[in-house]
Amino acid sequence: MRNAEGDNLRPMRVDERAATGEVIQARERYVPRGLATPDFVVSRAWGAKIWDAEGREYLDFAGGIACQNLGHGPAGVVRAIHEQVDRYLHQCFMVAMYEPYVEVCRRLDELWPGDAATKSLLVNSGAEAIENAVKIARTATGRDGVVVFDRAFHGRTNLTMAMTSKLVYKQGFGPLATDVHRAPAPYPYRGVTTEDALQGLELLFKQDVDPAEVACIVLEPVQGEGGFIPMPPEFVAALHDLCRQHGILYVDDEVQSGCGRTGTTWAIEQLEVEPDLLVSGKTLGGGLPLAGVTGRAELMDAVHPGGLGGTFGGNPVCCAAALAVLDELSAPGFRERAGQIARLLRTRLAEIAARRPVVGEVRGLGSMLALELTEQTPDRAKAVTATAREKGLILLSCGLYGNVIRLLPPLSATDEELEQGLGILEEALGDAGSG
């Protein structure tokens, strides 16, 4: 078998591993530059650790961007995947129903952060789930408007690009979807209070869109890509009241903050507000592509038959993995251990910040924590993540200016692994601060 240039091609065995340089060279030839990647190639992963193509070990505080809250290769998830693979890989729920799909929906109803009876739609990604949540909200209300917030990230599809703040994710891809309106969100470290944000929303309703024309407000309880900024409880409560006042649906985007990342199954549980629709994803699939829209039953049933769906949405293997994930999140001791990890991380990060003047703020909810660097440029954050990787720790940056270091260690990590990673982080911050 040959490609267009006459190179010999052969199938790669599962147990084969190419060297980093070979993979990078092939990536340059076959993968578009628009997909940003580091010069780092993973060969295997387990627990809180990953190994590169040359066998070097790293602590993973990135988790595939919050997709591995339980760590790499959790036994129950792996076992469930193997068992389902032996039954069938794919059916398409719209062709033939299967129990794993229905059972995930049942479990999501059990874990709903409130009293309402719910139903769920399963799809492939967080962006697809957000898009479907908007479709459901528009159908249920008969309205078109969508309100989102500064620094939001909701995805990369056409509609969700319009809902997302950061320019790099949508620049050059217009025209974007219409009827999307943006309001301020609280950002205390940079001087935006809850009162400021609510006044901004009031202004939006006076000059840009009538609240009677708004189908839904979509908010991350902890902004993810926007900088790990937790929404103040008083802001969420006021927003919920505003939704009730105007007949607007409250959509809770838990794609990154959900599935135990903050200690509770959903971050909004700690804010004591019951949403109308909740969007889940990332860790929900245990490393496989799965996301969901869960909401009050009458809202979910507002869409006509055939209006929702997709070929691979709720794939049975992904659903089997999700059931094992949800079992783990509900297991005795999970929440207690997540709380211990959160306290350890916050205490150590506060100590690091006190010693490193490049750090402006430590913030987050539970173990969804971040350090914002004082300068609103990405340079030092990039230097920190690069230096940390050289020292054996995988980190990610985020924030509108790229100056936030986010931590997403697995909630299965040991205290020793957490301390080791935090030590490397502090060394990397020291190197960046002296540069």
Side-chain angles (χ1 to χ4, degrees), residues 186-188 220-223 227-233 271 346 361 363-365 368:
Y187 192 180
E220 303 158 273
V222 182
Q223 292 187 319
F228 274 37
I229 304 167
M231 294 295 99
L271 303 175
R346 189 174 281 276
E361 183 180 45
R363 62 167 176 262
L365 185 65
M368 188 175 178

Side-chain angles (χ1 to χ4, degrees), residues 147-152 165 182-201 218-221 223 226 229-232 235 239:
V147 173
V148 293
F149 294 90
D150 291 342
R151 296 173 300 279
S165 287
R182 193 172 308 283
Y187 192 180
Y189 176 61
R190 296 294 179 180
V192 184
T193 66
T194 290
E195 183 179 356
D196 294 332
L198 291 173
Q199 288 176 351
L201 189 59
V218 186
L219 179 68
E220 303 158 273
Q223 292 187 319
I229 304 167
M231 294 295 99
F235 176 70
L239 200 62

Side-chain angles (χ1 to χ4, degrees), residues 259-283:
C259 290
R261 185 70 258 169
T262 66
T264 48
T265 303
W266 313 116
I268 203 166
E269 294 177 54
Q270 301 174 53
L271 303 175
E272 299 183 348
V273 162
E274 182 175 7
D276 296 298
L277 300 169
L278 184 151
V279 178
S280 55
K282 290 189 180 290
T283 285

